[in-house]
Amino acid sequence: MREAAQALDLSERQIFRLKKGVSEQGESFVIHKNKGRKPANATPPEVVSKVIYLKQNVYFDANFSHFRDLLEEREGIILSQPTVYRILSSAGIESHRKHHKTHKTHKRRKRKPQAGMLVQIDCSPFEWLPNMGKLALHGAIDDATGQVLGLYLTENESMEGYFDGIPIALYSDKHTSLLLLKRISSL
């Protein structure tokens, strides 16, 4: 019993139960009782064939998730997402992935090693003060330290709001105000 248990990677108790079952019922005792039977919760073959037909001929441009929703809403066929996936995949049908675009990851820029080498600027229009309407809050932040160097409110985004002293370099969101600065400085 011990050697059989080790060879089959079973416990001695399981070997004893198997030996007793085979002696009482024969070799068929070791065959699983559900072999050859369909599970009670199996999807009926007619539903499987209808799902495949609908995917190939009616809803061919829908991805698997949307297709499952369409089956439920329009056809009255209620299946789980994994079941729809299994049915379609086993039929050799692949999901359309139109909405799953690969996004390029934004590579983070290293901070400058010293304070004052780069100042990041941006502007945010918002109703910052009650009864004043929208005002543009210009901000300047030191890249190396993250320290706020200055804030300035104006009616609109402008060069006046951005400059209070001249930094070594500026980093902006490519707003048109900076394009004007480039044009002016090149004249």
Side-chain angles (χ1 to χ4, degrees):
M1 292 277 217
R2 184 171 292 137
E3 288 176 21
Q6 287 176 344
L8 296 173
D9 198 25
L10 297 172
S11 69
E12 288 183 41
R13 184 171 178 228
Q14 287 173 305
I15 297 296
F16 179 74
R17 184 184 64 78
L18 288 171
K19 185 178 174 187
K20 181 181 175 190
V22 168
S23 66
E24 291 176 1
Q25 298 177 21
E27 294 173 356
S28 64
F29 179 78
V30 288
I31 299 171
H32 197 279
K33 304 303 180 255
N34 282 339
K35 185 175 180 175
R37 285 198 229 167
K38 281 226 174 223
N41 60 348
T43 307
E46 58 273 4
V47 172
V48 171
S49 59
K50 186 171 183 180
V51 166
I52 293 169
Y53 172 82
L54 290 170
K55 177 64 178 140
Q56 290 176 330
N57 298 299
V58 181
Y59 305 112
F60 51 87
D61 58 344
N63 64 30
F64 284 7
S65 295
H66 186 220
F67 177 63
R68 192 209 71 82
D69 295 340
L70 291 170
L71 284 174
E72 188 173 327
E73 292 169 9
R74 297 183 182 173
E75 306 297 331
I77 300 172
I78 300 172
L79 297 171
S80 68
Q81 182 67 32
T83 301
V84 170
Y85 181 84
R86 184 179 33 79
I87 291 169
L88 296 176
S89 295
S90 64
I93 301 171
E94 293 182 4
S95 179
H96 293 288
R97 295 191 172 263
K98 290 180 182 174
H99 301 292
H100 294 282
K101 295 178 182 173
T102 55
H103 296 285
K104 292 182 182 178
T105 56
H106 179 72
K107 198 172 184 179
R108 292 187 67 96
R109 180 184 51 76
K110 286 187 176 180
R111 287 181 176 244
K112 294 292 182 184
Q114 270 184 313
M117 288 183 74
L118 176 66
V119 175
Q120 295 185 33
I121 60 172
D122 202 1
C123 182
S124 180
F126 187 73
E127 192 171 333
W128 296 103
L129 303 170
N131 302 322
M132 293 290 290
K134 276 191 177 182
L135 294 172
L137 178 64
H138 297 71
I141 299 173
D142 184 81
D143 184 69
T145 64
Q147 180 183 0
V148 176
L149 301 176
L151 297 172
Y152 195 85
L153 281 172
T154 59
E155 287 185 23
N156 298 308
E157 186 170 6
S158 65
M159 296 302 292
E160 177 189 9
Y162 280 120
F163 293 108
D164 184 43
I166 300 173
I168 294 172
L170 293 172
Y171 183 82
S172 172
D173 61 356
K174 298 183 181 177
H175 195 273
T176 54
S177 301
L178 290 180
L179 295 175
L180 288 172
L181 175 66
K182 285 181 184 177
R183 287 186 187 144
I184 293 169
S185 64
S186 67
L187 294 177

